[in-house]
Amino acid sequence: MIQLKDLKLKTNIIQSPMAGCTDLAFRLVAREHGMEMAFMEMVSCESLIRHNRKALELMKTVESDRPLGCQLVGCRADAMGEAAAIAEGMGYDLIDINIGCPVPKITGPGGGSALLKEPDAARAIFKAMQKNIKRIPFTAKMRLGFADPSGDEAIRMAQIAEEEGLAAVSVHGRTREQAYTGKANWDAIGRVKRAVKIPVFGNGDVNSGEDAQRMLDITGCDGVMLGRGALGNPWIYRSVQAVLDGRPAPVEPTLEERKKAFLQHAELEIKNEGPYLGVLKCRKIACWYFKGFPGAADLRARVNQVETPDQLIETISRFNNYNFPDSQES
Ligand SMILES: Cc1cc2nc3c(=O)[nH]c(=O)nc-3n(C[C@H](O)[C@H](O)[C@H](O)COP(=O)(O)O)c2cc1C
């Protein structure tokens, strides 16, 4: 159990926000498989305060999609404060600030991971948001540093977060310069954990229960934040939980179970996005579910050709024993 303000979580395994990935369809499938706390995709505070249609679409949720955190990204303290008030009013369970995004469009004006170099600006943003968040927990998700891999920048940021009354932080063990390359530095995450008293979630390269246990052992963190390991793999939550509880990990899903979960994800995606955009999104999502399995390259090539929901369903249904009946290898 872990408690952040009044938010009580049964498990210390949480799902990270991932733009373009952790949308409503992803979350509903993940929740059926044991995910508890999730985040939506990051939302720009500037878009939210203008009630931009795309921002509001990203924030779509339903009653069963709880507990859910809203992650805001931006660099202007007053806009971040205003966005935090709007987000709390929309009923989310937690508000998080993004201090990790590496994309130049975000870092250029001073948001995302650029805040790691500007502790005073970050403090002003924390204050503006904290003032406007009345009931729910407020947290920060950060990288280790902008370019400095030591963890010193994240330590400073976590300490400021603690001083400003944030409920917890999560730390991705890579710098902005590393983007997604190399290995997450769990030792440096451990330095951040030891520098503050608020709960710290460790993030980066946790793809199994064994990884989660090692990350917790090395860092001493209070919880684990899963990222890419959950893409096309909603079974990860129960298998991580089992290992952390000292139980044997559940058996791997069969191909039929993978197909079923993918088709459920696809159906939700098409319902939410409409047939055109939904099918486009599903091309990418199919790759997640079958990545690394025999026949995955053939499957990817075929899925990339599909244009309608019916074609998509037919293609996946015909993929049996990791093969297509009409493929040259069969
Ligand atoms: C496609 C993609 C989108 C992401 N979007 C966000 C985001 O919106 N907000 C955020 O804080 N982190 C974002 N991240 C970072 C992840 O949440 C996570 O910190 C990172 O992938 C490291 O964890 P992992 O090694 O377990 O994947 C994103 C990562 C990826 C790959």
Side-chain angles (χ1 to χ4, degrees), residues 15-22 39-43 71-73 96-103 140-143 170-174 179-180 182 184 186 202-207 215 224-231 236 284 288:
Q15 175 59 53
S16 77
M18 285 187 281
C21 308
T22 56
F39 290 85
M40 27 174 257
E41 306 161 76
M42 67 176 182
V43 172
Q71 189 189 54
L72 297 172
V73 64
D96 185 78
I97 171 170
N98 180 317
I99 311 184
C101 182
V103 177
K141 177 171 180 285
M142 62 192 72
R143 283 182 181 252
S170 46
V171 184
H172 173 194
R174 290 188 179 82
Y180 295 96
W186 293 348
N203 168 243
D205 294 344
V206 176
N207 296 313
M215 139 88 86
V224 175
M225 180 183 258
L226 300 176
R228 290 164 294 176
L231 298 178
I236 193 170
K284 172 175 81 178
W288 299 343

Side-chain angles (χ1 to χ4, degrees), residues 2 14 19 34 48 95 112 118 130 163 170 185 192 242 255 275 294 313:
I2 192 159
I14 64 176
L48 180 54
I95 292 175
E118 303 292 344
Q130 186 69 294
E163 287 159 17
S170 46
N185 183 342
V192 184
L255 175 61
I313 294 166

Side-chain angles (χ1 to χ4, degrees), residues 288-317:
W288 299 343
Y289 276 84
F290 304 101
K291 190 175 147 204
F293 289 96
D298 193 10
L299 180 102
R300 188 167 59 240
R302 290 173 192 245
V303 164
N304 276 331
Q305 311 275 323
V306 303
E307 286 176 350
T308 66
D310 285 349
Q311 289 170 358
L312 176 70
I313 294 166
E314 207 223 312
T315 304
I316 297 300
S317 307

Side-chain angles (χ1 to χ4, degrees), residues 111-298:
S113 56
L115 282 171
L116 288 161
K117 292 185 299 181
E118 303 292 344
D120 292 343
R123 189 188 290 277
I125 296 175
F126 289 164
K127 277 188 194 298
M129 294 175 74
Q130 186 69 294
K131 190 168 89 158
N132 283 359
I133 300 173
K134 304 295 181 204
R135 301 176 310 277
I136 58 178
F138 172 27
T139 61
K141 177 171 180 285
M142 62 192 72
R143 283 182 181 252
L144 274 186
F146 193 79
D148 173 4
S150 69
D152 288 353
E153 287 174 353
I155 288 176
R156 185 81 199 99
M157 192 58 65
Q159 287 169 335
I160 295 172
E162 181 166 67
E163 287 159 17
E164 297 303 329
L166 273 69
V169 296
S170 46
V171 184
H172 173 194
R174 290 188 179 82
T175 62
R176 187 261 178 174
E177 274 200 354
Q178 279 177 288
Y180 295 96
T181 62
K183 274 181 71 177
N185 183 342
W186 293 348
D187 290 321
I189 297 177
R191 292 190 61 220
V192 184
K193 162 63 195 164
R194 290 189 294 277
V196 291
K197 292 197 187 63
I198 53 175
V200 176
F201 291 86
N203 168 243
D205 294 344
V206 176
N207 296 313
S208 66
E210 289 71 26
D211 290 344
Q213 188 62 67
R214 267 192 308 117
M215 139 88 86
L216 291 178
D217 291 344
I218 290 172
T219 62
C221 275
D222 304 271
V224 175
M225 180 183 258
L226 300 176
R228 290 164 294 176
L231 298 178
N233 183 16
W235 301 275
I236 193 170
Y237 307 102
R238 291 209 174 111
S239 83
V240 170
Q241 189 69 63
V243 174
L244 296 190
D245 291 347
R247 291 179 282 116
V251 287
E252 285 289 306
T254 61
L255 175 61
E256 282 314 306
E257 285 165 332
R258 274 184 195 282
K259 285 166 64 173
K260 187 166 166 238
F262 167 72
L263 288 173
Q264 184 194 359
H265 195 151
E267 189 184 321
L268 288 164
E269 209 65 77
I270 290 162
K271 182 171 150 221
N272 294 339
E273 305 285 344
Y276 179 72
L277 268 185
V279 166
L280 281 188
K281 263 189 148 176
C282 288
R283 291 179 178 180
K284 172 175 81 178
I285 293 166
C287 296
W288 299 343
Y289 276 84
F290 304 101
K291 190 175 147 204
F293 289 96
D298 193 10

